[in-house]
């Protein structure tokens, strides 16, 4: 089963795309503690997918839109 998730968002810089699933990685260095989150969401989502023998990967990145692809075994 393949699920594609499209998210309207700010563009992910090419230099950060390899690290977005790293624990505690926050791509925007301008973020402060006033902004919620500590950089675990995508890491946890990827680990959950792996626990179910699947994958979560960054798909296409188009201006103003990011795509993630979740693949899970059917049975």
């Amino acid at each position: 089963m393949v699920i594609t998730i499209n998210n309207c968002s700010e563009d992910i810089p090419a230099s950060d795309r390899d690290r977005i699933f790293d624990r505690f990685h926050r791509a925007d260095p301008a973020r402060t503690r006033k902004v919620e989150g500590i950089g675990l969401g995508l890491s946890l989502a990827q680990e959950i997918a792996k626990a179910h023998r699947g994958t979560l990967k960054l798909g296409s990145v188009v201006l103003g839109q990011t795509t993630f692809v979740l693949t899970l075994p059917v049975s």
Side-chain angles (χ1 to χ4, degrees):
M1 172 186 339
V2 177
I3 300 170
T4 303
I5 301 123
N6 293 312
N7 182 35
C8 295
S9 65
E10 292 183 27
D11 296 339
I12 300 172
S15 60
D16 288 320
R17 293 179 191 161
D18 290 338
R19 299 197 59 216
I20 64 169
F21 291 103
D22 292 353
R23 287 184 179 108
F24 306 112
H25 177 70
R26 298 177 85 183
D28 185 355
R31 290 186 186 230
T32 65
R33 295 303 297 165
K34 293 178 184 175
V35 176
E36 294 294 319
I38 57 173
L40 286 174
L42 288 174
S43 174
L44 289 172
Q46 188 177 55
E47 289 302 317
I48 292 168
K50 286 179 185 178
H52 292 278
R53 296 175 302 149
T55 61
L56 176 63
K57 296 183 179 183
L58 178 63
S60 61
V61 178
V62 182
L63 185 63
Q65 186 172 11
T66 303
T67 301
F68 292 92
V69 180
L70 173 64
T71 305
L72 296 168
V74 174
S75 58

